[in-house]
Amino acid sequence: MHTTKQVAQFLKDNNNYVIIPHRSPDGDCLGSTSALLLALRALGKNAKIVLPSPVTQRLSFIWDSSYEEGDFEPEVAIAVDVAAPYMMLELYDEVFSKAKSTVCIDHHGTNEGFAQINCVDSQAAAAGEIMCAVIEDLGVELTKAIAERLFVAIADDTGGFQYSNTTTRTHRAASQLYGAGINSADIMRALFATRTKAEMNLLKFVTARMEYHFGGKVCTTWVDGEALEQSGAEMSNADAWIGLTRSVDGVEVGLMFKVLAENETRVSLRSNNYVDVASVAQKFGGGGHVRAAGVTFLTNLETAKESLLSELEKLV
Ligand code: AMP
Ligand code: MN
Ligand code: MN
């Protein structure tokens, strides 16, 4: 395992970087990758980001198409907030594995260290928390633009500093970002208090389809093509409501099932106090964090649901 200082030294000594976030990129990976990009460019390095899947409207305020531009041959690939190679989709084979050197900066407990240089800290609330240290070690000035992106990263993965992954270190990092002149209220509103009309329409389906299991300790809901069509939403809009499943009084584990195809069901798992959902997800080939994890079943909704519920019955 490598320290942030070692990673920073490596980044100073090399050039021609391609940075890769995970599929369906969230605020942590887009915030962390774009902050790293700006820091590397400030050092005069060639750097660009390649995306496994597009940036959603919710996060477009920290995105610029110039981040994906750069006329150079990549030498070093840096995966950020990526728990496992398949989270980069085809970019793993096409870009990451072709690079001369590979780096991974991540905070998933299930990360097995797939890069040559691995800076993985599962105690960090967000990849952005580790990235704050990397950028400090690089000796790059913490500009407002970099600070805003790091704040998006940390705020998004902690649910606005509400989740149990939030620590003293998280607040220390955030405090430095405030020092760089960010407007936290604007960022928090953009991340947590702005919903599209389509998301609001989708909310009706999410709540109407909620079911309680095992005496109300597990809450499930599901989103399929029909719900999306009738609400004018996209599947990524469902992410706005994942947390609702575990916010019901008495619920320990919340599950949202996303029907992607007849035999492809993606599941988001969330827990409150004692169930390690990362290890539940890992049993079925997924992974993540103790309180937030994900897994994709190559089955229909019913089979995926039965598999997960029979596992959870033992744990709640
Ligand atoms: P999600 O429910 O997709 O928001 O995922 C919750 C957390 O688990 C995020 O940190 C994801 O990066 C991680 N995660 C989701 N799916 C997987 C997977 N198949 N393998 C490893 N980690 C995952
Ligand atoms: Mn992420
Ligand atoms: Mn993350």
Side-chain angles (χ1 to χ4, degrees):
M1 203 55 71
H2 291 76
T3 63
T4 57
K5 281 200 170 57
Q6 288 171 317
V7 170
Q9 193 58 51
F10 177 85
L11 296 177
K12 280 192 258 190
D13 292 343
N14 288 275
N15 198 357
N16 300 318
Y17 297 101
V18 59
I19 310 171
I20 313 175
H22 62 71
R23 70 177 183 206
S24 309
D26 52 30
D28 184 25
C29 69
L30 288 182
S32 302
T33 52
S34 55
L36 178 61
L37 177 93
L38 296 179
L40 289 170
R41 285 185 177 172
L43 285 174
K45 304 288 185 185
N46 288 324
K48 64 179 167 191
I49 298 173
V50 288
L51 291 162
S53 45
V55 173
T56 54
Q57 178 60 31
R58 173 176 179 260
L59 294 165
S60 58
F61 73 104
I62 55 158
W63 199 253
D64 193 277
S65 58
S66 66
Y67 297 169
E68 296 165 78
E69 290 161 13
D71 199 12
F72 61 90
E73 196 55 43
E75 285 177 48
V76 182
I78 313 171
V80 178
D81 196 37
V82 173
Y86 58 77
M87 297 292 285
M88 290 180 266
L89 303 179
E90 67 278 1
L91 293 182
Y92 178 72
D93 286 332
E94 289 170 10
V95 181
F96 191 84
S97 64
K98 288 202 175 119
K100 229 163 52 189
S101 310
T102 57
V103 180
C104 179
I105 300 171
D106 184 37
H107 68 125
H108 292 89
T110 54
N111 190 312
E112 289 176 354
F114 57 85
Q116 291 158 2
I117 296 174
N118 296 287
C119 185
V120 180
D121 179 357
S122 62
Q123 299 303 306
E129 205 175 291
I130 308 169
M131 201 60 82
C132 281
V134 170
I135 288 173
E136 192 178 346
D137 293 338
L138 280 173
V140 172
E141 186 200 345
L142 189 61
T143 60
K144 189 175 169 201
I146 293 178
E148 280 168 348
R149 282 154 185 77
L150 291 170
F151 190 81
V152 166
I154 294 175
D156 208 26
D157 260 22
T158 57
F161 305 93
Q162 291 186 67
Y163 302 156
S164 60
N165 55 357
T166 309
T167 64
T168 310
R169 178 154 62 121
T170 316
H171 281 288
R172 269 208 197 101
S175 149
Q176 279 191 319
L177 303 176
Y178 276 94
I182 59 163
N183 186 332
S184 64
D186 280 355
I187 294 175
M188 293 295 221
R189 189 170 53 249
L191 290 180
F192 303 112
T194 309
R195 302 298 182 199
T196 63
K197 294 184 184 71
E199 281 167 348
M200 286 304 182
N201 296 337
L202 188 61
L203 178 59
K204 294 179 214 157
F205 289 86
V206 171
T207 52
R209 290 169 171 185
M210 276 181 171
E211 284 171 16
Y212 301 97
H213 312 262
F214 316 129
K217 288 193 177 139
V218 175
C219 173
T220 59
T221 189
W222 56 287
V223 173
D224 64 346
E226 195 198 332
L228 298 180
E229 208 172 299
Q230 291 199 29
S231 41
E234 292 171 13
M235 198 50 102
S236 64
N237 296 132
D239 293 349
W241 309 121
I242 293 172
L244 283 185
T245 53
R246 74 165 161 193
S247 71
V248 185
D249 190 26
V251 167
E252 168 60 15
V253 178
L255 303 176
M256 177 182 273
F257 293 84
K258 298 172 181 169
V259 181
L260 303 182
E262 169 140 20
N263 282 315
E264 189 179 359
T265 308
R266 186 172 297 162
V267 194
S268 289
L269 302 86
R270 301 289 185 269
S271 67
N272 280 320
N273 287 308
Y274 57 88
V275 173
D276 177 353
V277 288
S279 62
V280 174
Q282 216 168 11
K283 276 212 164 118
F284 300 100
H289 308 289
V290 179
R291 299 277 170 265
V295 55
T296 302
F297 287 84
L298 294 178
T299 70
N300 63 16
L301 169 70
E302 285 70 31
T303 311
K305 199 166 145 187
E306 274 166 29
S307 305
L308 276 173
L309 287 178
S310 68
E311 192 57 35
L312 288 169
E313 188 172 16
K314 300 179 236 162
L315 303 171
V316 294

